[in-house]
Amino acid sequence: MSHVLDRWSRSFWRLAGRAVDLEGADSWLEAPVSATATVGDGWIDVEAAERGWTVDRGAPEAGLLSSMTALDGPGFDSARLRPAIRDFYEHTASWDMDVWSSWSPVLWPAGELVARLYARRVEQLALPMRPLDVAHGMDSQVTVVRDGAGEQVAAAWVRTLRSNGRHVFSGSYSTRTLPGADRPSVHATFPLETGNVQVFLRPSVTDDGGLRLVSPTGSFGQDGAYVVVREGRAVAARVPLHETLHVYVDDRGVLRTDHELRLGRLSAVRLHYRLERAS
């Protein structure tokens, strides 16, 4: 039953998407995939081995980005960010997180169906469906992937529920400049069997030194969310899933993140993270 669902899903996206050349004009969509139906974190070593990269596990100061300056460009100056925000992205492994979740009553049934039939089984994009799912917090592991020169090219961020160890997100994080863009975006990839979900988030700095990351509406090739299927000839489709993350320091000096996912114009789920540097 599960394999039938997976094949149907890939067939749907092949019909909904367009052919892409991942080695040519559409190389901005080249990103990790999983070789197996269950994603977990096994894709990290496979991807590194195929590209001749090395995997640096367990580094206590590992970050999603080696430096926030990688995002600098017209309209974004990382020097304006609050120091705690820079520290979180550059030393993510050193931070603990508590999480709260709230689903839209309208979209909760659809989310629960997807979680039961797909997300929990493949151990990917398994959003918490109930507030108590994350009552004990969330653990995270950051694995840095380096090229032959030792430079960080990506970071794998795997998040699991502390209560039962179940995978929630398993993604690759880096920066990437989209075609025609004047500066880089944050690029998050969530591998799936012979494909992936990719989100390009445009960064901006708020007046109080906070960070906003947005995947807006737009056309193919712009910031937003994409599904890529690499079964036979590669195809990609832009999907109406939009994210907004607001990372900020509150009036008590606590680092927090408000995270909203919308399906079209409908708010689907809101997540709130309280972030604290481990002692």
Side-chain angles (χ1 to χ4, degrees):
M1 180 65 173
S2 63
H3 295 295
V4 171
L5 288 173
D6 295 345
R7 289 196 296 269
W8 178 87
S9 175
R10 290 194 290 271
S11 296
F12 170 81
W13 288 115
R14 291 191 67 82
L15 290 173
R18 63 171 73 179
V20 290
D21 180 8
L22 299 179
E23 297 181 356
D26 305 305
S27 59
W28 54 275
L29 284 168
E30 172 61 32
V33 302
S34 174
T36 58
T38 301
V39 178
D41 58 4
W43 59 271
I44 303 170
D45 293 299
V46 173
E47 182 74 14
E50 288 181 352
R51 297 176 180 270
W53 293 341
T54 58
V55 173
D56 185 4
R57 275 191 170 84
E61 293 288 312
L64 299 184
L65 301 178
S66 59
S67 173
M68 289 296 283
T69 60
L71 293 170
D72 284 347
F76 184 85
D77 179 7
S78 60
R80 295 177 53 217
L81 290 170
R82 296 286 292 266
I85 297 174
R86 291 179 62 106
D87 188 76
F88 172 75
Y89 279 92
E90 295 173 358
H91 307 287
T92 315
S94 298
W95 289 77
D96 294 328
M97 65 175 65
D98 292 316
V99 189
W100 293 264
S101 66
S102 175
W103 272 84
S104 159
V106 174
L107 293 179
W108 184 90
E112 177 70 9
L113 184 64
V114 171
R116 291 189 180 192
L117 295 180
Y118 193 76
R120 294 170 189 159
R121 172 174 54 81
V122 303
E123 298 185 6
Q124 179 64 288
L125 297 172
L127 290 166
M129 299 305 303
R130 300 165 181 82
L132 286 179
D133 289 346
V134 288
H136 295 280
M138 192 179 291
D139 288 326
S140 70
Q141 179 182 20
V142 180
T143 300
V144 174
V145 181
R146 304 185 186 278
D147 61 17
E151 296 296 323
Q152 178 171 330
V153 292
W157 192 16
V158 178
R159 281 163 284 179
T160 56
L161 293 178
R162 193 169 297 156
S163 58
N164 55 23
R166 180 184 294 163
H167 284 80
V168 180
F169 300 105
S170 181
S172 173
Y173 292 77
S174 61
T175 64
R176 187 162 294 182
T177 303
L178 291 167
D182 56 1
R183 57 183 170 88
S185 300
V186 173
H187 181 214
T189 299
F190 303 96
L192 298 169
E193 184 180 16
T194 65
N196 50 53
V197 173
Q198 300 183 40
V199 184
F200 295 88
L201 297 138
R202 188 166 181 83
S204 62
V205 183
T206 63
D207 291 341
D208 61 354
L211 173 67
R212 288 185 65 86
L213 297 170
V214 179
S215 62
T217 58
S219 58
F220 195 92
Q222 297 180 328
D223 291 296
Y226 297 81
V227 171
V228 177
V229 177
R230 294 176 55 174
E231 191 175 55
R233 186 175 183 184
V235 299
R238 186 181 174 101
V239 295
L241 179 67
H242 312 298
E243 286 188 75
T244 301
L245 293 98
H246 179 205
V247 190
Y248 61 96
V249 177
D250 70 12
D251 55 5
R252 296 190 175 185
V254 178
L255 185 61
R256 298 181 180 273
T257 300
D258 293 324
H259 184 186
E260 181 184 20
L261 287 86
R262 290 177 291 113
L263 186 62
R265 299 192 177 199
L266 294 176
S267 177
V269 60
R270 294 175 183 269
L271 301 166
H272 179 78
Y273 302 87
R274 182 183 186 277
L275 305 164
E276 184 177 19
R277 213 179 202 285
S279 58

